[in-house]
Each structure stands twice: as C-alpha cells, then as structure tokens.
Amino acid sequence: MAVDVIMPQMGESIFEGTITKWLKKPGDKIERDEPLFEISTDKVDAEIPSPSAGVLKEIKVNEGQTVPIQTVVAVIEADGAGAATAAPAPASAKAETPKPTPVPASPKDEAPAPKAAPPAPAPPAAQRPGPSLVPAAGSPAPPQRPASIAASGEKIRSSPLVRRIAREQNIDLAQVPGTGAGGRISKRDILAAVEGGGTASGTAARTAAGAAPAMPRPSAPPPASGGAAASAVLENAVPRERMYFGHYEVQPMSVMRQRIAEHMVLSKRVSPHVYSVDEVNVSAIAALRAKMKDQFEQAAGTKLTFMPFFVRAAVEGLRTFPTVNASVDGTNIILHKECNIGIAVALDWGLIVPVIKGAEEKNFLGIARSINDLAERARAKKLKPEEVAESTFSITNPGVFGGLFGLPVINQPNVAILGLGTIEKRPVVIDDAIAIRSMVYLTLSYDHRVVDGAVAHQFMGKVKHTLENWTESIL
C-alpha cells in the first residue's frame, strides 16, 4: 500500500516549507514516527517523522526546494501492519462540471455581474481614474490572485508581519505579487518590494496605463529564494568583481542563514538602534551557584546555569518599566502584559530564539527547567513553531563564548534585547579599596522610537540591583 508523505503545516501562519535534508533515501526501510526529513520554515527548523512503517519508494521534492503545505514530497510503500491511512481528499475537492449561465427570463432575474459578455475596449489613458492592473499588449499577465482579493485591497492573503512591513514602508499590498500558496504574499515578496522601492509590477502597470511615474525606481529581481532580499543588499553594497579574488570557496547560504539575513536586515531597517552598557557585580550569584550547583542538579534534575538569574532580573525590570516590554504597530505602541522572554540559542548551523512564555509567573526553578528544555530541543530540532513565536523581550549571551560584551540586533517585533558578556574576575574599587570581584557587562539594544535613554538606563539599574542584591531561593 502506497502512503503519501505531505509537507506539514508547521504553524497557523506558515503556508510553505523548504526541505533541507532527507534522512532516508529511496529503498531504505523506515519505521513509523522515525525522522524522515528535515524542513525549514520562516519560524523553525524541524525533523518530520514518517507517517508509516515501510520502504521509502520515491522522493518527489529534492533538498533545497520550497513547496506549499499539503504538497506530496515522498511516497512510502507501507507495511501491512504499520500502514497509516493516507488522508482522503475532501469531498469539496471533487471536480464539478461548470454549468452554463442560464439566460434570464426577465430583468429581475438577471445576474448582477454577467461573466459571459466580452470585455469592452479599454478607455484612453486620460479617461482612466487611476492606476490600472491590466498589462500592456503582448506583456505577460501578472500573477493571478484569489478572487477574494478586490481592487480595494480587502482580504489580501498575507501574514501580520507582512502587513506591518507594508505599513511601515508605505507599500500597497494590492500591488505586490504573491508567490506563496494561493497567491499569498510571503515575507520574501514584501522584502523584495522594499528593496525595489515599491513593486515592479505596480510600476509596470502604471506605465502601461499611460501614467508615467515621477521618479523611475529600479525594479527588484524576482525572489528566487528566501534570501533574495539579503542577497540584493549584499550585491548592491559590494561590486561583484571585488567579492571574488585570490583563493576562495563559494558556499550557498542555508535556508536558516537566509532567514537570519532577512531578519537582521529588516530589524536594522525598521528600528533605530541605540545601546546602553552597564557593569554588574555578580560575585554573590557566582558564589551561590558554585555552592549549590550539585545539590540543585540532584534535587531539580536540571543543570544550574547563570541564565535563570538574568531572566528573573530582566522580568523584574520589565515589570517596573513596561515600555521595554513592548512592540510597535504602525503609530501604536503595544504594551504587553505577559513577559515572554526569547533566549537566543547558538546552533552549529545558525541561531534560533525559543521563547519562555509567561516568565513572570514562573519561579527560579521553573525558568531554569524551561531554559534547559528549550535549548536541548532546539539543538535536536524538536521545537514547535509556537515555541519560537510571540516573544516580548529577548536575551542573548555572547559571554558564554568569551565575549566581553556585544551590541545585539533587536529581535523583531521586540523593542529591546539584553546582551550578556562573559563573567570574569576583575579588580574593582569598593569602599575606596581595590578588590577582586566577579563582574559582567550588560548591554541593552533598544528601539529609540519607543524607549528613551532615561528609561533604558533605569531598566538596566533595576536589573543590576536585582542581581547584586539577590534574595530569591533557587530551590
């Protein structure tokens, strides 16, 4: 029995995925729920299990290809005992023979918008009220959109992120061709439009309609891959002949690397970054951790790291200064009631930011367990899309690699991110005497549209006070 393997929907707002690696090849035996292939989406990388036990008969989508959800990517010749029944096609999908439009018997029975009538000749350009979406004669037709998308822009299929970028960049989504499933406008479509200063199709349509644009803009190249926007930025910034010289090796960006590039370019474009740096004496915390780490691991079943201390301190700061726990929607500031803390996790193949939801409701032990669990599953590609979404504030830790401090890029749509430097013993002045203490630099990158320097430094002061005067029990 043949079982189709489909591209799964890894989240409510995800409509396509890229196959990054096949873990089996045709002819290999596979057990039910055994990892079959790896995918990358806009939100997460994940291993997809086999829906059935049997033999992998055929691979229909190669590595590196991006396809819509529900696309058949492989076929398994299933064992009789372990076969999983393939999902039947919905009844609504059955093809129906189109019925001819009946001729109305009287005027009151007429259809409101007859479709059979031939199109009237196009009026002269001077009589047209605005830009036309009709292509010039002989030019290729623009990508078809779903019938539910009207010229007024209603019911345009796109994600909240796409709509936010369009608002901030003053781009009319009705003029952006959607390359996603069913004509959906994806993130790479809107980023390509931003890089082109608008949409190439919109400019072409206006020109065909007879309305010459006031300032011609270079058209954006078609988004051949998820990293088209980032590639365009690099190619425009550095002449190609200067990029290749001497001995070199060309490595294509992975799908995750392309996504990171897009996110970083977008964040720098959207948020005016400002940075504040503070130094914190964490000697008491370092001594507490050294004393309790073995007991903590035995009692709690998880390792005691420094990160839970910083998360708890950040939560106290966000409670006191809610402006830092915010996001921007057009000209509105969204003040979040929950503290959903994103923790940057370095992977061998990139970076991902899983989220501790409702961190303000967790005690120290709960936060420690959440951090370790999310980090382990991130490295094993076991995260769910919802576990890397809805962060309200983020923390990154370059100090674990020995960095003194860094100036991180804001994780959109947050308005701030806290960077942790390495914890090391340094000479400091205490009560007019030089002493050796465990010190750490903290940096706050913040969006100056929302957070002012005074608020940023008060927030940092609250974090510093919490860490230097630690009183909370860790067990």
Side-chain angles (χ1 to χ4, degrees), residues 246-281:
H247 299 285
Y248 60 86
E249 176 185 354
V250 178
Q251 293 184 349
M253 282 187 177
S254 65
V255 175
M256 174 175 278
R257 194 78 257 161
Q258 293 175 31
R259 300 292 184 264
I260 292 172
E262 291 174 9
H263 294 164
M264 296 301 98
V265 170
L266 172 64
S267 185
K268 281 292 190 177
R269 180 185 298 276
V270 170
S271 297
H273 283 58
V274 184
Y275 310 96
S276 295
V277 182
D278 212 333
E279 189 177 24
V280 181
N281 181 352

Short mmCIF file of all heavy atoms in Angstrom, two decimals, residues 246-281:
data_model
loop_
_atom_site.label_atom_id
_atom_site.label_comp_id
_atom_site.label_asym_id
_atom_site.label_seq_id
_atom_site.Cartn_x
_atom_site.Cartn_y
_atom_site.Cartn_z
N GLY A 246 41.66 36.11 -5.27
CA GLY A 246 42.55 35.15 -4.62
C GLY A 246 41.94 33.76 -4.59
O GLY A 246 41.16 33.35 -5.45
N HIS A 247 42.30 33.01 -3.56
CA HIS A 247 41.76 31.66 -3.37
C HIS A 247 40.49 31.76 -2.52
O HIS A 247 40.49 32.41 -1.48
CB HIS A 247 42.79 30.77 -2.66
CG HIS A 247 44.07 30.61 -3.44
ND1 HIS A 247 44.16 29.80 -4.55
CD2 HIS A 247 45.29 31.17 -3.28
CE1 HIS A 247 45.38 29.86 -5.04
NE2 HIS A 247 46.09 30.69 -4.28
N TYR A 248 39.44 31.14 -2.97
CA TYR A 248 38.18 31.24 -2.24
C TYR A 248 37.33 30.00 -2.47
O TYR A 248 37.59 29.20 -3.37
CB TYR A 248 37.39 32.49 -2.67
CG TYR A 248 37.02 32.50 -4.13
CD1 TYR A 248 35.87 31.87 -4.60
CD2 TYR A 248 37.84 33.15 -5.05
CE1 TYR A 248 35.53 31.87 -5.93
CE2 TYR A 248 37.51 33.16 -6.40
CZ TYR A 248 36.36 32.53 -6.83
OH TYR A 248 36.03 32.54 -8.15
N GLU A 249 36.33 29.87 -1.62
CA GLU A 249 35.35 28.79 -1.73
C GLU A 249 33.97 29.41 -1.61
O GLU A 249 33.72 30.20 -0.70
CB GLU A 249 35.55 27.75 -0.62
CG GLU A 249 34.52 26.63 -0.61
CD GLU A 249 34.66 25.70 0.56
OE1 GLU A 249 35.65 25.84 1.32
OE2 GLU A 249 33.79 24.83 0.74
N VAL A 250 33.09 29.10 -2.52
CA VAL A 250 31.73 29.64 -2.51
C VAL A 250 30.80 28.65 -1.83
O VAL A 250 30.73 27.48 -2.23
CB VAL A 250 31.24 29.93 -3.95
CG1 VAL A 250 29.80 30.44 -3.93
CG2 VAL A 250 32.15 30.95 -4.62
N GLN A 251 30.12 29.11 -0.79
CA GLN A 251 29.16 28.28 -0.06
C GLN A 251 27.80 28.96 -0.09
O GLN A 251 27.67 30.08 0.39
CB GLN A 251 29.60 28.07 1.39
CG GLN A 251 30.85 27.24 1.57
CD GLN A 251 31.16 26.99 3.03
OE1 GLN A 251 30.55 27.59 3.92
NE2 GLN A 251 32.09 26.10 3.30
N PRO A 252 26.79 28.33 -0.65
CA PRO A 252 25.46 28.94 -0.64
C PRO A 252 24.92 29.03 0.78
O PRO A 252 25.20 28.17 1.61
CB PRO A 252 24.62 27.98 -1.49
CG PRO A 252 25.34 26.68 -1.42
CD PRO A 252 26.81 27.01 -1.31
N MET A 253 24.16 30.08 1.04
CA MET A 253 23.54 30.22 2.35
C MET A 253 22.53 29.10 2.57
O MET A 253 21.76 28.78 1.68
CB MET A 253 22.81 31.56 2.46
CG MET A 253 23.69 32.77 2.71
SD MET A 253 22.63 34.22 3.03
CE MET A 253 23.89 35.45 3.39
N SER A 254 22.53 28.55 3.77
CA SER A 254 21.48 27.61 4.13
C SER A 254 20.16 28.37 4.25
O SER A 254 20.13 29.61 4.31
CB SER A 254 21.81 26.94 5.47
OG SER A 254 21.79 27.89 6.51
N VAL A 255 19.07 27.64 4.31
CA VAL A 255 17.76 28.28 4.45
C VAL A 255 17.71 29.08 5.75
O VAL A 255 17.22 30.22 5.78
CB VAL A 255 16.64 27.23 4.41
CG1 VAL A 255 15.29 27.87 4.68
CG2 VAL A 255 16.62 26.53 3.06
N MET A 256 18.22 28.49 6.84
CA MET A 256 18.22 29.23 8.10
C MET A 256 19.06 30.49 8.01
O MET A 256 18.68 31.55 8.51
CB MET A 256 18.72 28.34 9.25
CG MET A 256 18.88 29.09 10.57
SD MET A 256 19.35 28.06 11.97
CE MET A 256 17.75 27.42 12.43
N ARG A 257 20.24 30.40 7.34
CA ARG A 257 21.10 31.57 7.20
C ARG A 257 20.40 32.67 6.41
O ARG A 257 20.53 33.85 6.70
CB ARG A 257 22.38 31.15 6.48
CG ARG A 257 23.51 32.14 6.53
CD ARG A 257 24.21 32.10 7.87
NE ARG A 257 23.83 33.20 8.74
CZ ARG A 257 24.01 33.19 10.05
NH1 ARG A 257 24.53 32.15 10.65
NH2 ARG A 257 23.67 34.22 10.79
N GLN A 258 19.63 32.27 5.39
CA GLN A 258 18.87 33.24 4.61
C GLN A 258 17.82 33.92 5.48
O GLN A 258 17.62 35.14 5.40
CB GLN A 258 18.20 32.55 3.42
CG GLN A 258 19.17 32.02 2.38
CD GLN A 258 18.46 31.24 1.30
OE1 GLN A 258 17.32 31.52 0.97
NE2 GLN A 258 19.13 30.25 0.74
N ARG A 259 17.15 33.14 6.32
CA ARG A 259 16.13 33.72 7.20
C ARG A 259 16.77 34.70 8.20
O ARG A 259 16.23 35.77 8.47
CB ARG A 259 15.39 32.62 7.97
CG ARG A 259 14.67 31.61 7.10
CD ARG A 259 13.48 32.24 6.38
NE ARG A 259 12.76 31.23 5.63
CZ ARG A 259 12.93 30.98 4.35
NH1 ARG A 259 13.81 31.69 3.66
NH2 ARG A 259 12.22 30.04 3.74
N ILE A 260 17.91 34.31 8.75
CA ILE A 260 18.61 35.20 9.69
C ILE A 260 18.99 36.50 8.99
O ILE A 260 18.83 37.60 9.53
CB ILE A 260 19.85 34.50 10.27
CG1 ILE A 260 19.44 33.33 11.19
CG2 ILE A 260 20.71 35.49 11.06
CD1 ILE A 260 20.60 32.48 11.65
N ALA A 261 19.51 36.39 7.76
CA ALA A 261 19.89 37.59 7.00
C ALA A 261 18.69 38.50 6.79
O ALA A 261 18.78 39.73 6.98
CB ALA A 261 20.50 37.17 5.65
N GLU A 262 17.56 37.92 6.42
CA GLU A 262 16.35 38.72 6.21
C GLU A 262 15.94 39.43 7.50
O GLU A 262 15.63 40.63 7.49
CB GLU A 262 15.21 37.82 5.74
CG GLU A 262 15.39 37.25 4.34
CD GLU A 262 14.32 36.25 4.00
OE1 GLU A 262 13.34 36.14 4.78
OE2 GLU A 262 14.43 35.59 2.97
N HIS A 263 15.94 38.70 8.61
CA HIS A 263 15.50 39.28 9.88
C HIS A 263 16.44 40.40 10.33
O HIS A 263 15.99 41.42 10.85
CB HIS A 263 15.43 38.19 10.95
CG HIS A 263 14.38 37.16 10.68
ND1 HIS A 263 14.34 35.94 11.33
CD2 HIS A 263 13.33 37.15 9.82
CE1 HIS A 263 13.31 35.25 10.88
NE2 HIS A 263 12.69 35.94 9.97
N MET A 264 17.74 40.21 10.15
CA MET A 264 18.68 41.23 10.59
C MET A 264 18.58 42.50 9.75
O MET A 264 18.59 43.62 10.27
CB MET A 264 20.12 40.68 10.54
CG MET A 264 20.39 39.51 11.48
SD MET A 264 20.11 39.88 13.23
CE MET A 264 18.46 39.22 13.48
N VAL A 265 18.47 42.33 8.41
CA VAL A 265 18.32 43.49 7.53
C VAL A 265 17.03 44.23 7.86
O VAL A 265 17.00 45.46 7.95
CB VAL A 265 18.34 43.05 6.05
CG1 VAL A 265 17.95 44.20 5.14
CG2 VAL A 265 19.73 42.55 5.66
N LEU A 266 15.94 43.47 8.07
CA LEU A 266 14.66 44.09 8.40
C LEU A 266 14.74 44.85 9.72
O LEU A 266 14.26 45.98 9.82
CB LEU A 266 13.58 43.01 8.50
CG LEU A 266 12.22 43.47 9.02
CD1 LEU A 266 11.59 44.47 8.06
CD2 LEU A 266 11.29 42.28 9.24
N SER A 267 15.36 44.26 10.75
CA SER A 267 15.44 44.91 12.06
C SER A 267 16.22 46.21 11.98
O SER A 267 15.81 47.24 12.54
CB SER A 267 16.07 43.97 13.09
OG SER A 267 16.05 44.55 14.37
N LYS A 268 17.34 46.20 11.27
CA LYS A 268 18.13 47.41 11.14
C LYS A 268 17.39 48.48 10.33
O LYS A 268 17.57 49.67 10.56
CB LYS A 268 19.48 47.09 10.48
CG LYS A 268 20.50 46.48 11.43
CD LYS A 268 20.95 47.50 12.46
CE LYS A 268 22.13 47.00 13.26
NZ LYS A 268 22.64 48.01 14.22
N ARG A 269 16.57 48.04 9.38
CA ARG A 269 15.82 48.99 8.57
C ARG A 269 14.68 49.62 9.36
O ARG A 269 14.37 50.80 9.22
CB ARG A 269 15.26 48.27 7.34
CG ARG A 269 14.46 49.18 6.40
CD ARG A 269 13.83 48.37 5.28
NE ARG A 269 14.85 47.74 4.47
CZ ARG A 269 15.49 48.36 3.47
NH1 ARG A 269 15.21 49.60 3.19
NH2 ARG A 269 16.40 47.72 2.77
N VAL A 270 14.03 48.81 10.22
CA VAL A 270 12.82 49.25 10.91
C VAL A 270 13.15 50.01 12.19
O VAL A 270 12.57 51.07 12.46
CB VAL A 270 11.93 48.03 11.24
CG1 VAL A 270 10.81 48.42 12.17
CG2 VAL A 270 11.36 47.44 9.95
N SER A 271 14.07 49.51 13.01
CA SER A 271 14.30 50.06 14.35
C SER A 271 15.56 50.91 14.41
O SER A 271 16.64 50.42 14.08
CB SER A 271 14.43 48.92 15.37
OG SER A 271 13.23 48.19 15.45
N PRO A 272 15.45 52.17 14.85
CA PRO A 272 16.65 52.96 15.12
C PRO A 272 17.32 52.45 16.40
O PRO A 272 16.82 52.67 17.50
CB PRO A 272 16.11 54.39 15.29
CG PRO A 272 14.68 54.21 15.67
CD PRO A 272 14.21 52.93 15.06
N HIS A 273 18.42 51.73 16.24
CA HIS A 273 19.08 51.08 17.37
C HIS A 273 19.90 52.08 18.20
O HIS A 273 20.66 52.88 17.65
CB HIS A 273 20.03 49.98 16.87
CG HIS A 273 19.33 48.72 16.45
ND1 HIS A 273 18.37 48.69 15.47
CD2 HIS A 273 19.48 47.43 16.89
CE1 HIS A 273 17.95 47.44 15.32
NE2 HIS A 273 18.60 46.67 16.15
N VAL A 274 19.72 52.01 19.51
CA VAL A 274 20.55 52.75 20.47
C VAL A 274 21.01 51.74 21.52
O VAL A 274 20.33 50.75 21.77
CB VAL A 274 19.77 53.91 21.13
CG1 VAL A 274 20.67 54.73 22.04
CG2 VAL A 274 19.15 54.81 20.07
N TYR A 275 22.17 52.00 22.13
CA TYR A 275 22.78 50.99 23.02
C TYR A 275 23.15 51.63 24.36
O TYR A 275 23.63 52.76 24.42
CB TYR A 275 24.03 50.39 22.38
CG TYR A 275 23.81 49.91 20.97
CD1 TYR A 275 24.12 50.72 19.88
CD2 TYR A 275 23.26 48.66 20.71
CE1 TYR A 275 23.90 50.29 18.59
CE2 TYR A 275 23.05 48.22 19.42
CZ TYR A 275 23.37 49.05 18.35
OH TYR A 275 23.15 48.62 17.07
N SER A 276 22.93 50.87 25.43
CA SER A 276 23.36 51.26 26.77
C SER A 276 24.16 50.11 27.37
O SER A 276 23.81 48.94 27.17
CB SER A 276 22.15 51.58 27.66
OG SER A 276 21.47 52.73 27.18
N VAL A 277 25.20 50.45 28.11
CA VAL A 277 26.09 49.44 28.70
C VAL A 277 26.19 49.68 30.19
O VAL A 277 26.30 50.84 30.63
CB VAL A 277 27.49 49.48 28.06
CG1 VAL A 277 28.39 48.39 28.65
CG2 VAL A 277 27.40 49.35 26.54
N ASP A 278 26.15 48.62 30.97
CA ASP A 278 26.32 48.73 32.42
C ASP A 278 27.19 47.57 32.89
O ASP A 278 27.30 46.53 32.22
CB ASP A 278 24.97 48.69 33.13
CG ASP A 278 24.97 49.52 34.41
OD1 ASP A 278 26.06 49.68 35.01
OD2 ASP A 278 23.90 50.01 34.79
N GLU A 279 27.82 47.73 34.06
CA GLU A 279 28.67 46.70 34.64
C GLU A 279 28.06 46.26 35.96
O GLU A 279 27.63 47.09 36.77
CB GLU A 279 30.09 47.23 34.86
CG GLU A 279 31.09 46.15 35.26
CD GLU A 279 32.51 46.70 35.40
OE1 GLU A 279 32.64 47.92 35.65
OE2 GLU A 279 33.45 45.91 35.27
N VAL A 280 28.01 44.94 36.17
CA VAL A 280 27.31 44.39 37.34
C VAL A 280 28.25 43.48 38.11
O VAL A 280 28.97 42.65 37.53
CB VAL A 280 26.05 43.61 36.90
CG1 VAL A 280 25.32 43.06 38.13
CG2 VAL A 280 25.12 44.49 36.09
N ASN A 281 28.21 43.60 39.43
CA ASN A 281 28.97 42.74 40.33
C ASN A 281 28.11 41.51 40.65
O ASN A 281 27.12 41.60 41.37
CB ASN A 281 29.32 43.50 41.61
CG ASN A 281 30.14 42.67 42.59
OD1 ASN A 281 30.34 41.47 42.41
ND2 ASN A 281 30.62 43.31 43.65
#
